[in-house]
Amino acid sequence: MTINLQISIQTLRIHVTAAVALFIALYAVLVISLEQVYNTPELQIYPVAMSLTNVRVEKCAPGANQYLQSLTLWSDTNLCLKATKVHIDWAAEATVMCCILLVGLSLHMLQAFIQEYAFNLIDRQNQVSKLSKQNEDLKTQLDSLKKEIVLDLDSPITKVIRSIKNIQEKCDLGADVMESLDYVIQILSSNQLFLPNLNVNNDAMDSDVNKWLTTMLTNKADNGPSTLPTLEEAPSVIDDHILEYLSEINSWDFDIFKLVELTNGAPLYYLALAVIERHNLMPLFSLEPDVIKKFLRTIESGYKPVPYHNSTHAADVLHALHYFIAELGLSEIINSEEILACVVAAAIHDYAHPGVNNAFLINSGAPQALRYNDIAVLENFHCSSAFELMIADPSVNILGSLSRDRFKQVRASILSMVLATDMAGHFEYIAKFKNKLSGSGLQYEDAKDRQLLMDIAIKCGDINNAAKNLDLCRTWAGRIMEEFFQQGDLEKARALPVSMFMDRVTTEVPKCQVGFIDYLAMPLYEVWGLYATKEELAFAGLSNMAKNREYWRR
């Protein structure tokens, strides 16, 4: 078959045709030659030739017996075959040649069949090879797709650690460099990556400040909340003095305590109404005026009359967020749903605060700490309590008019902001925001980056007292210290160790305030200042903080 394929079909047919023609020609020549031999006069008897050709013979004459007897081929002396003139039977010969021709034609057809069959086999082999190649290509594509589908679940820190280890293995580094890289890996592998190093000597940080920061950042204290009275419902009539003063809410030096006096102790209610109106949220979300008012009155009445974490503080945080939105350009970055989330988050961020910190609740085994597994206890409590209130009573559900998807979006943003006010994660937020700004920058089209911006904004609002003018700063400092002292009194009453800066007898207020500014407020506002770097976005927070720090240091 291989030879058959190597010789072209036309050449092979010529070979077969030529062979048949040659054979017939040779046969015809042989027959004619024999005929001539048989008819030669010198030879009369050709017994051998007679056996090969078609001849007609007759008996020999009696005188020919002697010749026959001389031939050993004949034993019968009585017979003699006398060759007469030989006559060729061309009909028979033609039949023989036709048979030869038919055999040649059969060979020709057999060759054509074999060649066609061979080409079919080759076509089949080619198809199989083609399909095999396509199969291999598909396998290769599938393998590449599998490689692309494999998720890279390693965190950036894990990749950095792996890269450092690869450098250590592949590069010839000195002992000092290897030791330094080991130290870097140790730091990156620690569980307190975003926490500052508080293990410093007294020259770097006052020991009392160090203990206070450690308590605040690690949530260690004692005892649960006490039962406290509620605020009365806010008045429903807005007089001209309130409206006139609310027109100044775009000023960073807006005095929230003056609003408390004008509103008869309901600053959150009136300020929130003004902010909602300023940002046109009521028509945007089809908010019912009665629902808004009842929500604000219910939330404000739910704040306990503790010295610091009360509705006045909530209103102050709301004012700060409004200022950031209206004056520092957040309104050009976040959308309407996120502005609504900022308003609600500020209003509820310390809802029903008991006047003691997370460390106190955790170490005393309070029900809230057990419910929230010692994680952001108060912050989870504020969110849960406020949303339970809204879901249970549609008449106070300010988010009730939102669609399911919008509600989920706004609720998620609110929860993120309120949980960001937990001081245990303070330095983690600062590090994330700083890395974002110093790296690729905030991508405002990314909801996660906008959320981080809002989380930092509410954190700045939550501790904005150090960034206000000196009069407001001193007033807020007096309130927070009194709340600290009340917690210290509870700890003394329960024979528990008094937390740092919470003993009204031994605490040095200036030292506490300087430590608060240096280690908590200033680092946060410095990264916030990286966002508000343009001249038109500048505000007095950082300069006020520097002046307040100097005041407390004197």
Side-chain angles (χ1 to χ4, degrees):
M1 184 180 295
T2 304
I3 297 174
N4 185 34
L5 295 177
Q6 289 175 347
I7 303 174
S8 66
I9 180 171
Q10 190 67 27
T11 304
L12 188 58
R13 287 177 180 175
I14 292 173
H15 278 71
V16 173
T17 303
V20 171
L22 180 62
F23 189 82
I24 293 174
L26 290 175
Y27 185 81
V29 170
L30 179 61
V31 171
I32 294 172
S33 299
L34 289 176
E35 182 184 17
Q36 291 178 356
V37 171
Y38 289 154
N39 293 328
T40 300
E42 289 82 6
L43 294 177
Q44 299 293 327
I45 303 300
Y46 298 98
V48 178
M50 286 166 31
S51 67
L52 297 175
T53 59
N54 296 305
V55 296
R56 293 191 302 273
V57 299
E58 60 183 16
K59 288 187 177 182
C60 297
N65 288 334
Q66 293 180 353
Y67 177 78
L68 292 173
Q69 290 176 356
S70 64
L71 299 175
T72 58
L73 296 174
W74 297 90
S75 61
D76 187 358
T77 60
N78 295 321
L79 290 176
C80 176
L81 295 178
K82 180 182 179 182
T84 60
K85 187 175 181 178
V86 177
H87 298 283
I88 301 300
D89 188 353
W90 288 106
E93 299 300 339
T95 301
V96 172
M97 287 186 285
C98 287
C99 291
I100 295 172
L101 185 61
L102 289 175
V103 171
L105 183 61
S106 299
L107 291 174
H108 188 279
M109 295 177 63
L110 178 61
Q111 182 275 334
F113 170 78
I114 291 174
Q115 188 159 20
E116 182 178 0
Y117 179 74
F119 279 123
N120 289 335
L121 286 179
I122 290 177
D123 289 340
R124 184 179 300 175
Q125 290 176 354
N126 290 337
Q127 291 294 332
V128 171
S129 299
K130 185 178 180 180
L131 290 175
S132 298
K133 187 175 183 304
Q134 291 177 349
N135 189 36
E136 292 298 326
D137 292 340
L138 289 175
K139 286 182 179 180
T140 303
Q141 293 177 10
L142 288 175
D143 291 339
S144 63
L145 288 175
K146 289 180 180 179
K147 293 178 181 178
E148 292 175 1
I149 292 174
V150 174
L151 296 178
D152 184 3
L153 300 180
D154 289 338
S155 66
I157 291 179
T158 302
K159 295 177 182 178
V160 171
I161 293 175
R162 188 186 302 122
S163 299
I164 294 175
K165 289 183 177 179
N166 289 336
I167 291 174
Q168 288 180 313
E169 293 174 359
K170 297 179 181 179
C171 299
D172 186 13
L173 303 175
D176 294 341
V177 176
M178 292 291 289
E179 184 178 353
S180 298
L181 290 177
D182 288 336
Y183 179 66
V184 171
I185 293 175
Q186 181 182 355
I187 293 175
L188 294 176
S189 303
S190 69
N191 294 325
Q192 298 180 340
L193 183 61
F194 296 103
L195 291 180
N197 180 20
L198 299 180
N199 297 321
V200 295
N201 55 43
N202 291 336
D203 294 334
M205 180 186 295
D206 184 87
S207 60
D208 292 341
V209 175
N210 187 295
K211 292 178 182 178
W212 174 63
L213 288 174
T214 302
T215 300
M216 182 177 297
L217 297 176
T218 57
N219 289 329
K220 296 179 180 179
D222 192 19
N223 203 18
S226 58
T227 303
L228 298 170
T230 60
L231 291 175
E232 296 181 357
E233 189 173 285
S236 57
V237 179
I238 303 178
D239 61 28
D240 294 338
H241 294 90
I242 297 175
L243 292 175
E244 181 181 358
Y245 191 64
L246 287 173
S247 65
E248 302 177 12
I249 59 174
N250 281 18
S251 170
W252 180 247
D253 290 326
F254 182 79
D255 188 348
I256 198 69
F257 298 109
K258 183 176 180 180
L259 184 63
V260 173
E261 297 176 1
L262 292 174
T263 60
N264 195 24
L268 180 60
Y269 173 82
Y270 289 102
L271 180 63
L273 286 177
V275 171
I276 290 173
E277 182 180 358
R278 286 287 183 95
H279 297 288
N280 202 32
L281 298 178
M282 192 178 300
L284 282 175
F285 299 103
S286 301
L287 304 180
E288 293 292 334
D290 292 340
V291 174
I292 296 174
K293 292 177 181 178
K294 188 171 182 180
F295 166 77
L296 294 174
R297 286 172 177 166
T298 303
I299 291 297
E300 187 151 33
S301 66
Y303 275 92
K304 302 180 184 300
V306 294
Y308 183 85
H309 292 98
N310 48 40
S311 67
T312 304
H313 169 67
D316 189 49
V317 174
L318 174 59
H319 167 260
L321 278 177
H322 165 73
Y323 180 84
F324 297 151
I325 294 170
E327 297 297 322
L328 294 190
L330 260 67
S331 60
E332 300 175 3
I333 298 171
I334 62 177
N335 56 41
S336 299
E337 286 85 356
E338 290 163 342
I339 293 177
L340 176 62
C342 286
V343 174
V344 177
I348 71 169
H349 85 280
D350 275 330
Y351 176 71
H353 197 290
V356 292
N357 60 21
N358 280 334
F360 186 93
L361 297 177
I362 292 170
N363 293 327
S364 64
Q368 298 96 322
L370 297 176
R371 178 182 301 172
Y372 302 111
N373 301 314
D374 297 348
I375 301 173
V377 177
L378 283 171
E379 291 71 27
N380 277 301
F381 168 71
H382 303 320
C383 292
S384 177
S385 300
F387 274 99
E388 285 177 1
L389 186 68
M390 288 189 283
I391 299 301
D393 186 359
S395 66
V396 300
N397 188 0
I398 192 173
L399 306 178
S401 62
L402 274 61
S403 66
R404 182 183 297 272
D405 291 340
R406 264 186 164 183
F407 175 82
K408 290 175 63 177
Q409 176 185 346
V410 174
R411 169 177 157 80
S413 187
I414 293 170
L415 296 179
S416 179
M417 282 188 279
V418 176
L419 293 176
T421 61
D422 179 16
M423 293 304 294
H426 186 70
F427 291 99
E428 180 176 354
Y429 278 95
I430 292 175
K432 287 180 179 179
F433 194 64
K434 182 185 296 184
N435 292 340
K436 199 68 177 174
L437 292 175
S438 61
S440 60
L442 291 171
Q443 305 299 319
Y444 296 137
E445 66 277 2
D446 188 344
K448 292 182 179 179
D449 281 10
R450 296 198 306 273
Q451 187 62 59
L452 177 60
L453 184 62
M454 291 186 290
D455 292 344
I456 294 295
I458 197 171
K459 286 182 65 64
C460 288
D462 194 34
I463 59 173
N464 78 81
N465 52 291
K468 290 295 180 68
N469 60 55
L470 182 57
D471 290 338
L472 293 175
C473 177
R474 287 188 301 181
T475 303
W476 282 117
R479 287 172 171 260
I480 189 61
M481 294 311 301
E482 178 57 31
E483 189 167 295
F484 281 0
F485 296 154
Q486 288 184 6
Q487 177 175 323
D489 294 341
L490 286 173
E491 290 169 340
K492 287 181 179 179
R494 300 188 181 192
L496 297 172
V498 179
S499 300
M500 182 55 58
F501 294 137
M502 296 188 183
D503 189 332
R504 64 175 68 249
V505 176
T506 60
T507 294
E508 299 179 29
V509 174
K511 181 190 292 186
C512 177
Q513 291 303 304
V514 171
F516 172 73
I517 292 174
D518 285 346
Y519 301 107
L520 295 176
M522 185 65 76
L524 177 63
Y525 271 81
E526 283 178 345
V527 298
W528 185 243
L530 296 176
Y531 158 73
T533 53
K534 296 181 180 179
E535 183 178 350
E536 62 270 18
L537 298 181
F539 72 109
L542 286 171
S543 59
N544 285 344
M545 195 175 296
K547 295 175 183 177
N548 295 335
R549 183 181 183 279
E550 291 303 315
Y551 168 80
W552 292 113
R553 284 180 62 85
R554 287 187 298 207

